[in-house]
Amino acid sequence: MSVIIGQQEYFKDVKRVEFEGRDSDNPFSYKFYDENKMVLGKPMKDHFNFAVAYWHSFVNTGNDPFGVGTKSFPWVSSSDPYQNAYDKMDAAFEFISKLGINHFCFHDFDLIDEGDSIRESENRLNKITSYAKEKMKSSDIKVLWGTANLFANPRYMNGAATNPNFDILSMAGAQVKNALDVTIELGGKNYVFWGGREGYMSLLNTDMKRELDHMAKFLHLAKDYARGQGFEGWFFIEPKPMEPSKHQYDFDAATVVGFLEHYGLEKDFKLNIEVNHATLANHTFQHELQVAANANMLGSMDANRGDYQNGWDTDQFPNNIYEIVESLLVIIRSGGLQGGGINFDAKTRRNSTDLNDLFYSHIGAIDLFARSLLITEKMLNNSEYSKLIEERYSSFDSGKGKDFEDGKISLDGLHFYASNLKEAKLISGKQELFENIINRYI
Ligand code: XLS
Ligand code: NI
Ligand code: NI
């Protein structure tokens, strides 16, 4: 894929990031990510569908509750919202094409600033969508998913689809319609709902049941609209337990699976699992992936990591080989991500202020996944890993155990069988042995 440079070149130190192998000293090269290398039956890149998150890499300049942004992105210099949006998009396409990956993800108002009316916002979105389409024509860059920002504007302080005020719900609906239009126009593969403010701060003033009913109705409307416009991709819900709400309705994967099935949304919706959201819910990332996979709803992932000492969504770039190997084991053993990919919903630290830091962070994370995939492949092909798991359950492969799985034994049957046992043999879970296998193949 060729590099795409717009009106000006923003990342002058970097050409195209190429695979150079682990002995290369070049910090702008991949040590492990060799996009066309065949791994477990397909090219590496097709396992991942890597995406850059527009908001973290091109919009937010590092503001936090204690201070303003620290990063002076050259593409946000103009005071004209249109010029800003074009420059930002030039920077995004240059960056993504230099990284040599193929996707991005966006919120509506990452692409261009919100206008002061729905009409004006629509005009703005239309212009930037045409601009994006032009740029996409001459590239292999695609939209992994689009979404609407239903949390930043003050009107959403009490939620969007779950707002107690219908006027605000309707404005959220207008915004989702427009965001769907943009996503469809750009050939987006999927559409995401992350309900940061769909939840509550105090149950005292909240009719939870009514709000959940509203949320489900809203999602049905969005789905029906998009299907009517010919959209064939998946809708993803991205669970998160809290922040900014005290309690978010899409708490974790299990909650969302139950919600989707309860409200008849399970045929069109899958899950987008984020690492740092899993850990905020007191789960591991692997756990959340597995819960989604069990329900045939493992759609996509937002890759990042939290911090062992902090209890909030720090959105750091992932760097933990053990965690990612364990996650890939879940993903690959359950047949891969459905429709989605790996979106780096991660930001460089507030004090990482060089433009090149955007490259270091993404290169490191891409290499982490590539290396973890190679380890996973070896574990699955060369080690006793799969066999060890199967053996743990071998008592269900024949005899009465098999009868149980086949529904051919009653509770009385269990009683009769157990009465003839002296005591059951203890079989070790061998956790440490399992852990050693990962270490061996790193
Ligand atoms: C915030 C979420 C958000 C979604 C997209 O915590 O991760 O970035 O991915 O709205
Ligand atoms: Ni996310
Ligand atoms: Ni997040």
Side-chain angles (χ1 to χ4, degrees), residues 121-134:
S121 295
E122 258 165 34
N123 290 338
R124 291 184 179 195
L125 284 170
N126 286 340
K127 281 244 171 73
I128 194 65
T129 302
S130 313
Y131 193 73
K133 263 187 105 169
E134 269 313 300

Side-chain angles (χ1 to χ4, degrees), residues 274 277 313 315 345:
E274 178 162 324
H277 297 182
D313 199 9
D315 285 346
D345 193 355

Side-chain angles (χ1 to χ4, degrees), residues 298-329:
L298 179 54
S300 204
M301 99 161 58
D302 271 9
N304 57 23
R305 77 177 203 272
D307 180 292
Y308 289 127
Q309 283 76 41
N310 287 344
W312 69 82
D313 199 9
T314 57
D315 285 346
Q316 297 171 84
F317 276 83
N319 71 353
N320 183 331
I321 295 184
Y322 287 94
E323 184 175 56
I324 301 306
V325 169
E326 287 191 34
S327 306
L328 290 177
L329 281 170

Side-chain angles (χ1 to χ4, degrees), residues 1-4 16 18 35 93 96-102 138-141:
M1 189 175 81
S2 56
V3 162
I4 302 160
R16 163 75 155 82
E18 306 275 3
E35 57 180 350
F93 275 74
I96 298 166
S97 63
K98 283 184 170 177
L99 265 187
I101 64 174
N102 298 91
S138 54
S139 80
D140 293 332
I141 298 177

Side-chain angles (χ1 to χ4, degrees), residues 114 118 149-177 197-198 214 218:
E114 183 171 12
I118 291 177
N149 181 328
L150 299 176
F151 45 89
N153 193 301
R155 79 171 74 96
Y156 298 126
M157 66 179 185
N158 291 312
T162 61
N163 199 295
N165 178 353
F166 172 72
D167 286 1
I168 292 177
L169 182 147
S170 76
M171 294 178 91
Q175 214 184 305
V176 167
K177 178 197 174 291
R197 297 197 195 272
E198 313 293 18
H214 290 175
F218 188 94

